Amino acid sequence: MRTQWFAFFSLRFIRRPAAALRVTILMIAVVVYGATGFLNFELPGNPDLDWPTAFWYAVVTVTTVGYGDFAPATVEGRYLVAVPLMFFGIGLLGYVLSLSASRLVQAKTKELTGMSQVKLTGHLVIFNFPSVGKICKILEELRADPDFEVSMSEVVLVDEDLEELPPELADRGVRYVRGNPTRDETLSRANLDHASHAIVLSKRPRDPHSDDLSIAITLAIEGRQSSITSVVECVDAAAEELMRKAGCDRIVCTSRFEAHFLSQEVVNPGVQEVVAQLTSTLLGQQVYVTPYSGVATYAALSDRCRRAGHLLVGLRDGAGLRFNLPGN
């Protein structure tokens, strides 16, 4: 145990110390040298000089501040102490600033390339990157909804192939994690355990085989955090049953909606515009599915909604969805 500890200590602090440690040790050595030199050469001519004051003078000289409250009177104090401190101070400060700038650039680069660790709580995780426009539209719709929780305004994008987060998403505050979305390591970096919602988008919106990846991601999500609310995009309606078995909470089958819109535009032109406004938080009115308890007639519920400024269009119960019901 002692041998291992000594080897670790020797590696980290002697043979290959960290840059911050090297700078700290060098700065302390320079300040101690300056304080000792000032005290040694200037004390005979300045009896009031003590160690705290000498250290103060050394720090002021190293940082090249020069308050003017002290100047070495002896030749040794000027050229053997003050001048070396000035040159070392400029060099050390430049090195420290370069290290700080390098760390900031590295941190930003890691964040944009998806290599960083996300530390959020109650956030939304979006899996797969089909296009910038699609994700921007989802974010606009979500953030325009007054019921959208403040904590969920933090969004994390998880994708395996995206090399760098697009500027359009970075400007919207989206965090990025690059990696295989079915692996625990990637889900840990996205902090899925503390997320509240997850959206799984189709990797290739027109390819039914992308549903296989969506199912695998859903299994990874539900296997790790079953309490999360997951919404999965489905290309092929035949894959819906597998997605339900995988444990997702909601499924949106894009191909089914496309077929509905196409057929309705043939027999009833303009339906898609109405549906678009009813399902968008950015345009017109919006459809809400609101739970209710107790026994009440359709007429009573409709009257209650009308008094609140809403329009009741149907009910969902054990019999399914029912619209345009009689008034009693």
Side-chain angles (χ1 to χ4, degrees):
M1 186 65 183
R2 289 184 177 180
T3 304
Q4 294 177 350
W5 183 88
F6 179 77
F8 174 80
F9 180 84
S10 176
L11 179 65
R12 294 295 300 272
F13 297 99
I14 299 177
R15 288 186 292 173
R16 285 189 290 177
L21 180 61
R22 294 199 301 267
V23 171
T24 302
I25 294 175
L26 186 57
M27 183 67 75
I28 293 174
V30 170
V31 171
V32 170
Y33 167 81
T36 304
F38 281 139
L39 202 62
N40 181 60
F41 295 119
E42 302 299 323
L43 184 61
N46 187 0
D48 295 332
L49 187 64
D50 54 10
W51 278 107
T53 307
F55 275 109
W56 167 252
Y57 292 155
V59 171
V60 169
T61 307
V62 167
T63 57
T64 67
V65 174
Y67 284 111
D69 53 351
F70 172 79
T74 64
V75 175
E76 295 85 353
R78 291 177 179 178
Y79 295 103
L80 295 182
V81 181
V83 172
L85 285 184
M86 293 176 190
F87 283 103
F88 272 106
I90 294 173
L92 283 174
L93 289 178
Y95 184 55
V96 169
L97 290 176
S98 67
L99 283 179
S100 301
S102 177
R103 293 288 178 85
L104 290 174
V105 171
Q106 289 178 0
K108 190 64 177 178
T109 301
K110 287 181 62 177
E111 182 179 339
L112 291 177
T113 55
M115 295 295 106
S116 60
Q117 174 81 30
V118 173
K119 296 180 181 180
L120 299 173
T121 301
H123 55 289
L124 167 67
V125 183
I126 299 178
F127 292 89
N128 296 329
F129 176 78
S131 66
V132 173
K134 186 169 186 176
I135 293 182
C136 287
K137 186 64 176 177
I138 291 174
L139 296 180
E140 289 175 1
E141 291 285 345
L142 288 174
R143 289 172 176 172
D145 194 325
D147 293 332
F148 191 62
E149 298 179 11
V150 176
S151 59
M152 279 179 54
S153 62
E154 300 285 354
V155 179
V156 178
L157 173 64
V158 178
D159 189 82
E160 188 174 9
D161 302 319
L162 186 63
E163 293 184 359
E164 186 174 330
L165 185 68
E168 296 87 347
L169 299 181
D171 293 340
R172 286 171 168 78
V174 177
R175 309 287 185 87
Y176 175 45
V177 171
R178 184 177 183 181
N180 190 332
T182 63
R183 294 183 178 176
D184 282 342
E185 184 271 336
T186 305
L187 300 180
S188 296
R189 287 197 291 120
N191 205 14
L192 183 74
D193 295 336
H194 295 91
S196 59
H197 291 71
I199 298 177
V200 182
L201 300 177
S202 295
K203 185 75 172 180
R204 297 172 295 277
R206 299 294 177 181
D207 185 4
H209 294 289
S210 63
D211 288 338
D212 299 336
L213 176 60
S214 298
I215 293 172
I217 295 174
T218 303
L219 287 171
I221 294 172
E222 297 296 333
R224 186 179 181 93
Q225 217 247 85
S226 59
S227 61
I228 193 171
T229 301
S230 56
V231 180
V232 183
E233 181 182 15
C234 175
V235 177
D236 188 0
E240 287 191 52
E241 185 62 29
L242 282 176
M243 289 183 177
R244 290 193 183 90
K245 291 180 179 179
C248 66
D249 298 290
R250 295 288 184 270
I251 302 171
V252 178
C253 184
T254 54
S255 61
R256 183 172 59 185
F257 283 105
E258 289 174 354
H260 289 176
F261 283 136
L262 289 171
S263 61
Q264 285 296 320
E265 285 300 315
V266 172
V267 299
N268 194 9
V271 168
Q272 67 169 332
E273 296 178 6
V274 176
V275 174
Q277 289 201 17
L278 290 176
T279 55
S280 173
T281 56
L282 301 173
L283 301 170
Q285 302 294 321
Q286 189 175 5
V287 175
Y288 289 95
V289 179
T290 304
Y292 74 97
S293 59
V295 180
T297 63
Y298 182 82
L301 291 174
S302 179
D303 184 61
R304 185 185 305 174
C305 291
R306 192 179 300 110
R307 291 197 302 269
H310 305 304
L311 176 64
L312 181 64
V313 296
L315 294 176
R316 182 174 66 181
D317 52 20
L321 288 171
R322 297 180 294 158
F323 298 98
N324 197 24
L325 295 175
N328 54 5

